Amino acid sequence: MTAPGTYLDHCATSPLRPEARAAMTAAFEVTGNPSSVHADGRAARALLEAARAQVAALAGAPPAGVTFTSGGTEANVLALRSALAAGARRLLISAIEHDCIRETALASGVDVVEIPVSREGVVDLDALDGAIAAQPDGAGPVFVALMAANNETGVIQPTREAAERVRAAGGWLHVDAVQSAGRRPSGLEALGADSLALSAHKLGGPQGIGALVAGPRTRIVRDLPGGGQEHGRRAGTQNLIGAAGFGAAAEASLVRRDFRIGRDEAASALAGAGAIVIGAGAERLDDVLCIAAPDFASELQVMGLDLAGVRVSAGAACSSGKVRPSRVLEAMGLGDLAGCAIRLSGGWSTTAVDWRTAAAAWIELHTRQASRRRPVAA
């Protein structure tokens, strides 16, 4: 049982929505395999396709364009492998992409170009123009991976502007929408994407399920051999319980709410106490706040806040336990601050009280830390 506290780590995982819990509870009563043709199988198939339609509505896509995966990581990897299968021999990725994109690209054996970002964490579109223009003969179609919003800073990327450039070159823009979905419009058209990755547990669904969503002109290859599930794109019996929860969470997330409630007040209080707000000059997700304090290690902040009952992260959840500066913040040119940053992230259940509690706890922690560094008078 988790100890009670103030939870501001929704970018790592969001608490399960009641709608998702109810849908999953009902799905447990469905016995059949969605691929079976008997009555129980047809009931399972109907439930699976209803969930697919709910996710498709969130993504602004036809249900046939939704491929259920084990999560956002698999969705991103499947998009890259599909691009390679389509003949791409040069991959353009931003310098702040999630490790699943970067490591898959680097392991692909083809040329990889990392597009730099500004000090505010926004991709350099002029550099992207140059990289597209430099596409050599024989490199296949242009493929660009650009996340909708960064998972560490919350900085929103200009995907629609990037899409214009990619489309003019006849290329493919893949958008990692894992963090933006459920927080702001993140469908194919809204992002200008040819394909996008989603993850259920980032928007109040269960862990262990996500989706790759593709537009009509984008071909997703079969990456996992076996049966013909997921329109022949991903073999294996589908996670029916997870899909039901994902669908319910996706539908619930379409009801808009004020995600910014309390965050800006907390940001002002923290800045007044010495915190540096990362990406303050850029458009950011309304409920994400990345801060840094010089000479105050990220790990010390996370542990100190945890002891005070406030749950936050230092960088991406996938990198937890790794004592190293944030690659994203290093790409932004923040130097030593990259090892002194933490991320506070709200979500569907966050209140203004949560933000005030977190800000007060950090200010107290920072004050104690600063007092330890002051020289003792002779």
Side-chain angles (χ1 to χ4, degrees), residues 329-355:
L329 300 187
E330 288 181 331
M332 293 168 63
L334 298 184
D336 290 342
L337 275 181
C340 301
I342 61 171
R343 179 193 65 198
L344 299 82
S345 53
W348 67 270
S349 60
T350 305
T351 67
V353 173
D354 292 327
W355 283 107

Side-chain angles (χ1 to χ4, degrees), residues 17 55 58-59 148-149 176-187 191 196-204 246 249-250 253-254 256 259 285 287:
R17 290 176 182 263
V55 173
L58 175 67
D176 177 348
V178 164
Q179 296 295 350
S180 67
R183 289 183 164 97
R184 58 186 280 119
S186 295
L191 296 172
L196 58 85
L198 300 174
S199 179
H201 76 104
K202 306 292 188 176
L203 48 82
F246 188 4
S253 72
L254 289 172
R256 307 304 329 154
F259 281 100
L285 293 175
D287 56 356

Side-chain angles (χ1 to χ4, degrees), residues 86 170-171 213 217 305 373:
V213 183
R217 71 188 192 96
L305 288 174
R373 294 197 300 266

Side-chain angles (χ1 to χ4, degrees), residues 105-205:
L106 293 175
S108 67
V110 305
D111 187 24
V112 178
V113 179
E114 291 196 46
I115 310 301
V117 297
S118 70
R119 192 172 177 83
E120 297 295 340
V122 180
V123 71
D124 185 337
L125 290 175
D126 289 337
L128 177 61
D129 284 337
I132 292 174
Q135 183 84 345
D137 293 338
V142 170
F143 177 85
V144 177
L146 177 61
M147 54 177 35
N150 184 259
N151 52 304
E152 296 187 36
T153 65
V155 172
I156 294 167
Q157 301 302 315
T159 59
R160 290 191 63 83
E161 291 87 342
E164 294 173 5
R165 293 156 165 80
V166 176
R167 201 149 289 145
W172 175 346
L173 175 66
H174 173 69
V175 176
D176 177 348
V178 164
Q179 296 295 350
S180 67
R183 289 183 164 97
R184 58 186 280 119
S186 295
L188 290 170
E189 184 176 354
L191 296 172
D194 296 297
S195 61
L196 58 85
L198 300 174
S199 179
H201 76 104
K202 306 292 188 176
L203 48 82

Side-chain angles (χ1 to χ4, degrees), residues 93-97 102 114-117 123 327-328 331:
I93 66 174
S94 85
I96 57 170
E97 291 304 300
R102 185 171 184 268
E114 291 196 46
I115 310 301
V117 297
V123 71
R327 177 177 59 80
V328 168

